[in-house]
Amino acid sequence: MGMGMGMGMGMDNDLADVLVVGAGATGLVLAYDLARRGAAVRIVDRSPAPPRTSRAKGPNARSLEILDDLGVADEVLAAGSDPLPMLKYRDRLPVAETDPWADSAPSPDAPYDRGRLIAQWRLEEILRDRLAGYGVRVELGREVVGLTEAADGRHADVTFAEGRTERVRYVVGCDGAHSSVRKLLGIGFEGTTAEDQVMVCGDVDLADGALDRTRWHQWFDEDGAVMLCPIPGTRTGWWFQAGPERDGRGRPLAPTADGFRRLLARHTALPGRTLTRAELLSTYRVNVRMADRFRAGRVFLAGDAAHVHAVAGGLGMNTGIQDAFNLGWKLGLVLAGHAGAELLDTYEEERLPVAARTLDLTSERLRATLEAIRLSGGGLDAAITPDTTGLGVGYRWSSLARAHDEAPRPDETPRHAEAPRPDETPRPDKAPRPGDRAPDAPCVDAVTGAGTRLHRVFAGPHTTVLGFGPDSAAVLREVAAAYGDAGVRTCRVYAPHEGGARSGPGTAVVDDEGHAAAAYGTEVLSDTHTGTVIVVRPDHHLGLSAPADDAGSVHAYLRRLHGAGRPRNGSPALVDAARKG
């Protein structure tokens, strides 16, 4: 790690577990996840006021699942709207209408089949308010200018612009594409910037009734484009995106309210005066870049600080949210002394290949969109594919994804090249493999009879062990005895035909319609195989699937995440101090 800028005004005695740098959606999700795990987390942002940005139009389906786990999905759904049909124009006249989600519907294993439109600043406001409920507030106007790792290797020293240096256990840079944290670490950010692919953006108000607010309006002409999408929760607010005005030499001009009015008048049937207000103006250039690594000692990178890509498909903010959800539980387990610090190596092992694939995917979707809009009736729907929901992202190549009879090799390196392509994502008729997203499934609480679902069982800062079939009961009892107070939850999934008392440790649900068995491939049980045990990581990915008679694999996997647990006499197990972060 680079040496930063010296020690300044002295050291802060209050040692935080994690300092999150950057209070956008990525940083807020990470801080919130850590706070609910009991970590001493702080979050800072260089802006003097909460950042206001509107480029991201909302969470995709996978991010909604994460927000649901965090307990904020209902508020996000209420503040936003469903994605809208796209009305496309040529030469000011409507020529086509497309609803990219017309053939999509929720399914038992994926109740969110589409994303949600919501202003990014509104989503961040919801997350800030919930974070404040844990006593954590964003420290505004605090810019990081120096980073050093302490000589003992157990802390990082962070120097701020005002000259103060503070010591923390870990730092996570969520501070955007121009990340100070990344630059201080000296981590490369290789890639390309397409200077000719430019868009001007802003939030605007249009005169009331000027356009139908149930449509995303898109004008694509040979000499430019204007796109207007209504901002949920407002009466006259719209997201404005357009090809820029250019000077006499063809260079793009900076965005202005008057420039937006001229673009509106040129491409649409609306007079320029229809636009009454414009703010949050920005110029967007297509950058495709990725950090060489996502970790340097006790410092991590997440979100745009680690990777930026084409806006097509809306995966920027969403990929950052998923970075945060991957890293949060790992930091939490290490800080609690359950897992060894080597668990943190799996953050880069898992997320760097996903980022690389996302760069490829978004570039591919941008090419498809630019090709589509050359023709009358083409529009932004060309950017939307099943891959952009995020539901197919998994980590089959990860060292945390193990077949029950496969032991890790001590010399094994991350198998980045084996990241699955889109056509390798789980199909509804195919059981998920370790590393894949854990499917949801509606079921019934075995005690109360109330409807519930598996993702509700998974929700919260814990690992879940699911047991299918009668022989899984013994393993679940052992797990509950060893880890019941160490962040592991057990859940027995009963088939409808299973009789007898439905009781025991942990949670019990009845798979009344067979959706859970279908989703996890446990429907067919032979005479010699009467159960399956599945370990679901805190981020809803399968860690292990094993026959119920292979308790050894289950315990070995849990030891990696949660330590030795509690011995049978009930006294706390000793955790080797060397394993603590």
Side-chain angles (χ1 to χ4, degrees):
M1 191 184 300
M3 281 306 296
M5 296 187 63
M7 286 303 186
M9 296 171 59
M11 199 72 65
D12 192 327
N13 292 325
D14 294 328
L15 187 64
D17 288 330
V18 182
L19 177 73
V20 177
V21 183
T26 300
L28 289 167
V29 166
L30 178 61
Y32 183 38
D33 194 21
L34 288 166
R36 69 175 181 161
R37 295 174 187 279
V41 61
R42 293 170 53 201
I43 180 168
V44 300
D45 198 281
R46 74 179 74 176
S47 301
R52 281 286 302 265
T53 183
S54 228
R55 194 167 291 157
K57 290 185 173 63
N60 64 10
R62 177 59 186 144
S63 292
L64 283 174
E65 291 184 340
I66 292 170
L67 295 170
D68 197 359
D69 186 288
L70 297 175
V72 300
D74 287 347
E75 196 170 352
V76 171
L77 293 173
S81 74
D82 277 335
L84 300 176
M86 300 178 180
L87 182 56
K88 293 167 281 189
Y89 302 76
R90 197 79 167 188
D91 298 325
R92 301 186 177 186
L93 298 174
V95 292
E97 183 171 323
T98 305
D99 182 354
W101 304 103
D103 297 326
S104 176
S107 61
D109 67 323
Y112 298 111
D113 66 310
R114 64 194 70 189
R116 194 77 172 163
L117 289 177
I118 181 174
Q120 185 172 338
W121 60 263
R122 178 70 183 106
L123 172 62
E124 292 170 0
E125 186 176 66
I126 291 169
L127 290 166
R128 277 198 309 275
D129 289 347
R130 293 297 185 96
L131 184 59
Y134 285 95
V136 181
R137 288 177 170 78
V138 178
E139 301 171 35
L140 295 166
R142 304 211 69 197
E143 182 179 1
V144 173
V145 297
L147 274 174
T148 61
E149 188 162 309
D152 62 6
R154 298 174 63 84
H155 310 100
D157 294 327
V158 184
T159 303
F160 292 91
E162 70 269 22
R164 185 180 182 84
T165 295
E166 300 173 14
R167 176 161 287 183
V168 297
R169 291 185 173 88
Y170 293 98
V171 178
V172 186
C174 305
D175 50 342
H178 301 289
S179 171
S180 297
V181 171
R182 187 189 66 242
K183 292 172 182 175
L184 288 167
L185 294 173
I187 291 177
F189 202 48
E190 298 304 315
T192 60
T193 299
E195 294 292 346
D196 58 329
Q197 293 178 341
V198 184
M199 182 169 64
V200 290
C201 314
D203 285 11
V204 305
D205 276 346
L206 299 182
D208 200 1
L211 281 176
D212 177 4
R213 291 183 63 83
T214 67
R215 299 292 183 270
W216 185 349
H217 302 266
Q218 303 171 10
W219 292 264
F220 292 107
D221 297 320
E222 290 187 11
D223 63 342
V226 168
M227 293 151 276
L228 282 164
C229 182
I231 302 174
T234 67
R235 192 166 61 88
T236 58
W238 297 77
W239 284 298
F240 182 102
Q241 297 166 282
E245 294 186 299
R246 296 181 181 271
D247 64 14
R249 299 173 62 182
R251 295 174 300 192
L253 297 175
T256 64
D258 282 342
F260 281 9
R261 291 185 181 100
R262 287 189 292 268
L263 289 166
L264 194 70
R266 180 186 308 162
H267 295 287
T268 81
L270 299 171
R273 65 177 181 276
T274 306
L275 193 154
T276 59
R277 179 190 61 91
E279 62 180 19
L280 302 177
L281 308 186
S282 64
T283 298
Y284 169 79
R285 286 179 172 81
V286 176
N287 280 290
V288 181
R289 298 180 181 274
M290 192 170 78
D292 300 339
R293 52 201 167 113
F294 290 3
R295 181 186 185 187
R298 290 185 166 266
V299 186
F300 300 83
L301 299 175
D304 286 357
H307 43 75
V308 293
H309 44 77
V311 71
L315 292 177
M317 179 186 74
N318 288 290
T319 305
I321 287 173
Q322 290 149 36
D323 287 345
F325 204 54
N326 183 286
L327 180 58
W329 68 272
K330 296 172 181 178
L331 278 169
L333 287 178
V334 171
L335 288 165
H338 296 307
E342 63 271 13
L343 179 64
L344 300 176
D345 294 334
T346 67
Y347 169 66
E348 178 178 296
E349 177 190 354
E350 293 182 342
R351 293 304 297 174
L352 191 147
V354 169
R357 171 61 190 143
T358 302
L359 264 62
D360 290 344
L361 172 62
T362 52
S363 295
E364 173 189 302
R365 289 298 89 208
L366 177 63
R367 285 192 295 272
T369 302
L370 292 174
E371 187 175 317
I373 63 176
R374 292 193 186 106
L375 304 175
S376 179
L380 299 186
D381 49 301
I384 298 172
T385 72
D387 294 326
T388 59
T389 66
L391 296 173
V393 172
Y395 312 114
R396 291 181 182 177
W397 64 90
S398 170
S399 60
L400 291 180
R402 287 289 163 191
H404 72 94
D405 56 355
E406 181 185 6
R409 300 188 302 275
D411 62 343
E412 184 170 45
T413 55
R415 302 188 296 272
H416 293 170
E418 295 181 23
R421 303 293 294 182
D423 57 359
E424 295 177 331
T425 55
R427 300 193 310 268
D429 61 340
K430 190 174 182 181
R433 289 164 47 184
D436 291 345
R437 166 190 167 272
D440 201 354
C443 43
V444 171
D445 187 293
V447 176
T448 66
T452 185
R453 51 195 176 92
L454 288 185
H455 275 205
R456 182 54 50 207
V457 174
F458 304 157
H462 55 257
T463 298
T464 304
V465 182
L466 294 178
F468 292 84
D471 284 2
S472 69
V475 179
L476 296 185
R477 281 194 298 270
E478 291 176 17
V479 168
Y483 295 98
D485 57 358
V488 180
R489 174 177 295 175
T490 60
C491 178
R492 173 75 161 88
V493 183
Y494 287 91
H497 64 266
E498 288 187 72
R502 289 168 173 169
S503 62
T507 303
V509 298
V510 180
D511 187 18
D512 58 327
E513 297 182 4
H515 291 302
Y520 287 85
T522 63
E523 315 98 304
V524 180
L525 298 174
S526 69
D527 292 339
T528 58
H529 177 63
T530 56
T532 300
V533 178
I534 293 170
V535 180
V536 180
R537 304 172 0 170
D539 58 354
H540 309 166
H541 286 270
L542 269 64
L544 175 79
S545 179
D549 60 2
D550 185 12
S553 287
V554 177
H555 288 298
Y557 192 88
L558 291 175
R559 275 196 299 274
R560 183 168 183 191
L561 303 187
H562 295 271
R566 188 171 55 229
R568 292 184 185 277
N569 63 11
S571 60
L574 295 175
V575 179
D576 184 349
R579 286 172 57 80
K580 294 186 179 181

